[in-house]
Amino acid sequence: MKSNTRKTLDEFIIERQDDFQYSTGELSRLLNSILLAARVVSYKVRKAGLIDIIGAVGTTNVQGEDQQKLDLYAHNIFVETLVNREIVCGIASEENDNFITIQGLDQSHNNKYVVLMDPLDGSSNIDVNVSVGTIFSVYHRISPVGTPVTMEDFLQPGVNQAAAGYILYGTSTMIVYTTGFGVNGFTLNSAIGSFYLSHPDMKCPEDGNVYSVNEGNYVHFPRGIKNYIKYCQEEKENRPYTSRYIGSLVSDCHRNLIRGGVYLYPSTLKTPNGKLRLLYECNPMAFITEQAGGRASDGNRRILELTPTELHQRTPFYCGSKNMIDKIEEFIANEEK
Ligand code: P6P
């Protein structure tokens, strides 16, 4: 089917607006704002090799990670786009220590959504031309409309998400998102700046033969995870599995979502709570994966049911095909007996 006969994302958002009772269109406008920012960031990412925007800026974020120029650029684009459209009352970003309070142009705090995001995940891949991504998570505020946003608006369990998605700046630019009614993927036709429905109603295969983990940390993994990795490598049944690790969460999870597979970022001695952030990496990826029929766990509990206590808290993260996550939890449980 020619791309220009496929449904555009704008048409899709309007069509699906009726999924929400009493919809006022604000969530649709929010998603459209994220799309607009995604187009701008995509343009810069594609040009990064040609203009002086690659490399570190000499500062570090709250995680203590060197901030890349594109990290901060993406952060600023998404924040400016959302602030200027008076749809959200607050934003939390990997690039900011605290959350950002947003007042409307009428100086009110009448907006009802908060957005949490990793503006450019996998940024260490930028200067070696490997795909990177943006991850976002949307919640209805808890605090009263008309008052300034509070930390409790951001520290909600993942099951409360109103929407979640990622933009993948890969061989093509894609946005994949859910509002709780399934998962759909759209691919950007950069010649005309429109996203077209390329992956309708995405389903994560219950099984897969790919495992994604940084095996350089193997010696520091919990015993159960070491045993699971050896299980993946055994010559038995449909194994050995294939090891694929891009080092970019969005890319690894996107491949596993489509083909089946599992992504693992375990706790280690150095990082007892793992590396990945619960609020703006794990929860959105977990919401998307579950909506597509997969699973996401911290090894014992469903990611979406974890109660956050800090904005940038980390969690061990296992995400992908349902039966593979079940097997990981089985190996962990056997070692904890
Ligand atoms: P490591 C990127 O920094 C990231 O947050 C994810 O995108 C990626 O999967 C992971 O960290 C890579 O971490 O320790 O294996 O380099």
Side-chain angles (χ1 to χ4, degrees):
M1 180 190 287
K2 292 195 178 67
S3 71
N4 59 6
T5 58
R6 288 177 184 274
K7 193 170 293 180
T8 67
L9 179 48
D10 300 326
E11 291 165 334
F12 184 87
I13 289 175
I14 291 166
E15 183 186 282
R16 291 298 183 91
Q17 190 162 286
D18 297 342
D19 287 343
F20 298 95
Q21 218 178 10
Y22 319 119
S23 164
T24 58
E26 279 185 278
L27 184 57
S28 301
R29 284 173 51 222
L30 199 166
L31 291 169
N32 271 308
S33 304
I34 289 173
L35 268 182
L36 175 63
R39 287 185 182 91
V40 176
V41 172
S42 176
Y43 174 79
K44 284 294 184 187
V45 167
R46 305 241 170 268
K47 293 278 179 291
L50 302 173
I51 53 181
D52 176 31
I53 201 159
I54 282 182
V57 290
T59 57
T60 57
N61 62 17
V62 65
Q63 330 293 337
E65 294 167 342
D66 290 342
Q67 288 182 305
Q68 305 286 334
K69 288 178 183 173
L70 262 177
D71 268 329
L72 287 181
Y73 176 83
H75 167 84
N76 293 334
I77 290 295
F78 278 100
V79 169
E80 285 160 19
T81 306
L82 289 168
V83 165
N84 294 339
R85 278 165 182 72
E86 294 193 69
I87 306 167
V88 300
C89 55
I91 300 174
S93 165
E94 181 193 51
E95 302 307 325
N96 256 39
D97 298 6
N98 205 344
F99 59 80
I100 301 163
T101 300
I102 295 171
Q103 270 185 301
L105 296 180
D106 61 359
Q107 301 310 303
S108 74
H109 295 279
N110 289 334
N111 301 327
K112 64 183 180 187
Y113 290 104
V114 294
V115 174
L116 299 93
M117 65 185 328
D118 184 353
L120 208 65
D121 177 75
S123 52
S124 56
N125 288 313
I126 292 167
D127 50 5
V128 292
N129 203 11
V130 170
S131 54
V132 293
T134 295
I135 310 172
F136 63 90
S137 174
V138 181
Y139 290 85
H140 291 92
R141 69 183 301 174
I142 292 176
S143 56
V145 173
T147 63
V149 71
T150 65
M151 183 62 86
E152 69 165 337
D153 292 313
F154 297 94
L155 299 183
Q156 300 187 51
V159 287
N160 289 3
Q161 290 176 93
Y166 58 82
I167 297 110
L168 176 56
Y169 310 101
T171 46
S172 59
T173 296
M174 273 196 75
I175 181 166
V176 174
Y177 82 94
T178 183
T179 56
F181 296 87
V183 179
N184 291 280
F186 301 78
T187 301
L188 177 65
N189 177 338
S190 51
I192 56 175
S194 288
F195 282 90
Y196 286 92
L197 179 61
S198 52
H199 296 68
D201 194 21
M202 296 175 78
K203 294 297 179 201
C204 180
E206 285 200 340
D207 278 305
N209 64 2
V210 171
Y211 69 102
S212 309
V213 65
N214 182 344
E215 297 195 50
N217 297 325
Y218 178 85
V219 295
H220 302 301
F221 287 160
R223 170 55 50 197
I225 295 300
K226 289 180 176 176
N227 293 342
Y228 177 72
I229 291 172
K230 290 306 168 203
Y231 167 85
C232 293
Q233 296 167 344
E234 276 179 338
E235 292 273 353
K236 251 185 191 171
E237 298 154 4
N238 61 340
R239 286 166 282 138
Y241 293 154
T242 294
S243 174
R244 285 281 183 278
Y245 191 66
I246 299 170
S248 175
L249 174 68
V250 172
S251 305
D252 281 315
C253 285
H254 181 70
R255 183 203 51 249
N256 294 342
L257 185 67
I258 291 174
R259 296 196 180 153
V262 69
Y263 173 95
L264 305 89
Y265 210 102
S267 60
T268 67
L269 296 177
K270 290 180 289 181
T271 53
N273 293 317
K275 172 184 181 183
L276 300 188
R277 295 79 167 179
L278 173 60
L279 291 182
Y280 43 78
E281 289 178 329
C282 301
N283 269 336
M285 297 313 285
F287 187 21
I288 293 162
T289 303
E290 285 200 3
Q291 281 287 309
R295 286 198 59 209
S297 166
D298 71 350
N300 301 298
R301 296 163 296 175
R302 186 181 173 213
I303 287 288
L304 294 182
E305 291 178 351
L306 299 181
T307 302
T309 53
E310 291 167 27
L311 209 50
H312 300 287
Q313 76 183 69
R314 302 171 192 268
T315 176
F317 187 56
Y318 307 101
C319 182
S321 295
K322 178 189 175 304
N323 295 346
M324 298 177 85
I325 300 294
D326 292 350
K327 181 60 78 173
I328 289 172
E329 289 184 333
E330 190 183 307
F331 272 92
I332 291 173
N334 288 341
E335 281 311 307
E336 288 174 348
K337 278 179 187 153

